Amino acid sequence: MSGHSKWATIKHKKGALDAKRGKMFTRLIKEITVAAKQGGGDPDGNPRLRTAILAAKAENMPADNIKRATQRGTGEIEGLSYEEITFEGYGPGGVAVMVDVLTDNRNRAVSEVRHAFSKNGGNLGESGSVGYMFSKKGVIVLPKSAADEEKLTEIVLESGAEDLNDEGESWEILTGPKEFDAVRDAVTAAGLKPEHAEVSMVPSTYQKLEGAQANAMLRLLDVLEDLDDTQNVYSNFDFDEATVAA
């Protein structure tokens, strides 16, 4: 099973267990605001905004919150101005890590991300140091019980998806970023509910860690995820399920 899907699934379950709804809402509100600022407040003509709103609805965010976040982006009501920054670095064992932040204070974001790396066995790298190892892909993960391979293969072929992977307990559908909306819509139109669906940065290769290094890497990812300015964390870290269970 690819490290990407495993970590994404663990994050999803962990978020539910830890009840980090407030943190999730903050991230989604920021994303909606920035998406509306860059591409306008109409989700039909702004794919990034449409994806953010669908993600917010999936987390049961109240419609008023979504509306206000959109209006802050379009300038209809006042709000903070966010800067998008991507940090690149290395974790324990040389694992490649990328961190997307949306921040109203660049200096604070740089300081916090650098500190997270240095205190957890990693180091912040230069821009471009690991980015070449990742490509932007739409990722849709479904539980194995949702559908059989034949049905999903049909959806994948007809909707323009790139690949369908058997990831043990889940199916993983990969798409190009432009095809993501159409493929996700085709999946939901077939009556299937993804465990999660997002446009993500997927690594070309994975670095497998075990034992103490794997645990250290999990700690680094957790710390980075928990920073107030963090939107997304990507890595090419792969591990055994038993490492997380332990």
Side-chain angles (χ1 to χ4, degrees):
M1 182 176 186
S2 69
H4 176 273
S5 287
K6 275 193 285 193
W7 177 243
T9 302
I10 287 164
K11 279 195 300 181
H12 181 79
K13 290 177 180 175
K14 179 178 181 297
L17 290 171
D18 293 353
K20 292 185 176 178
R21 180 138 298 178
K23 171 72 171 172
M24 177 61 71
F25 275 18
T26 300
R27 288 185 184 184
L28 290 167
I29 285 168
K30 282 185 179 180
E31 175 63 16
I32 291 168
T33 300
V34 171
K37 182 178 181 179
Q38 292 186 350
D42 178 9
D44 290 335
N46 184 343
R48 180 175 176 179
L49 178 61
R50 181 166 178 256
T51 296
I53 289 174
L54 285 172
K57 288 180 176 178
E59 294 293 335
N60 298 313
M61 182 183 288
D64 282 350
N65 294 37
I66 295 172
K67 182 180 179 181
R68 284 196 299 272
T70 304
Q71 289 175 327
R72 276 195 292 272
T74 57
E76 293 172 68
I77 58 177
E78 279 192 40
L80 292 172
S81 180
Y82 296 110
E83 179 181 4
E84 291 186 273
I85 313 169
T86 297
F87 296 98
E88 302 178 35
Y90 299 91
V95 168
V97 183
M98 296 181 69
V99 186
D100 287 341
V101 306
L102 283 177
T103 183
D104 60 344
N105 186 324
R106 185 185 184 92
N107 291 336
R108 180 190 67 219
V110 172
S111 174
E112 289 182 347
V113 172
R114 188 184 302 280
H115 184 263
F117 272 100
S118 65
K119 291 294 183 181
N120 292 279
N123 61 282
L124 195 58
E126 298 293 325
S127 178
S129 58
V130 301
Y132 69 93
M133 299 169 65
F134 296 80
S135 55
K136 186 173 282 191
K137 298 282 184 185
V139 182
I140 301 166
V141 177
L142 296 148
K144 260 298 176 58
S145 58
D148 60 30
E149 187 171 9
E150 185 177 348
K151 181 176 181 179
L152 282 178
T153 300
E154 185 179 330
I155 293 171
V156 164
L157 291 172
E158 290 183 357
S159 63
E162 292 182 359
D163 207 355
L164 173 65
N165 298 319
D166 183 340
E167 301 291 358
E169 295 181 3
S170 306
W171 295 111
E172 178 190 74
I173 300 172
L174 292 178
T175 81
K178 290 183 179 178
E179 290 74 33
F180 172 71
D181 278 352
V183 176
R184 180 192 55 208
D185 290 350
V187 167
T188 55
L192 306 177
K193 186 177 181 181
E195 288 184 337
H196 66 268
E198 61 184 353
V199 176
S200 183
M201 297 298 288
V202 177
S204 54
T205 60
Y206 287 90
Q207 178 78 18
K208 189 161 189 174
L209 300 182
E210 297 178 347
Q213 278 193 326
N215 288 324
M217 186 64 209
L218 287 168
R219 282 196 301 274
L220 172 59
L221 292 174
D222 262 342
V223 171
L224 289 169
E225 288 276 357
D226 285 343
L227 296 178
D228 287 343
D229 291 327
T230 296
Q231 288 294 104
N232 295 293
V233 179
Y234 310 111
S235 78
N236 69 339
F237 172 43
D238 196 10
F239 52 92
D240 289 321
E241 298 278 8
T243 298
V244 179

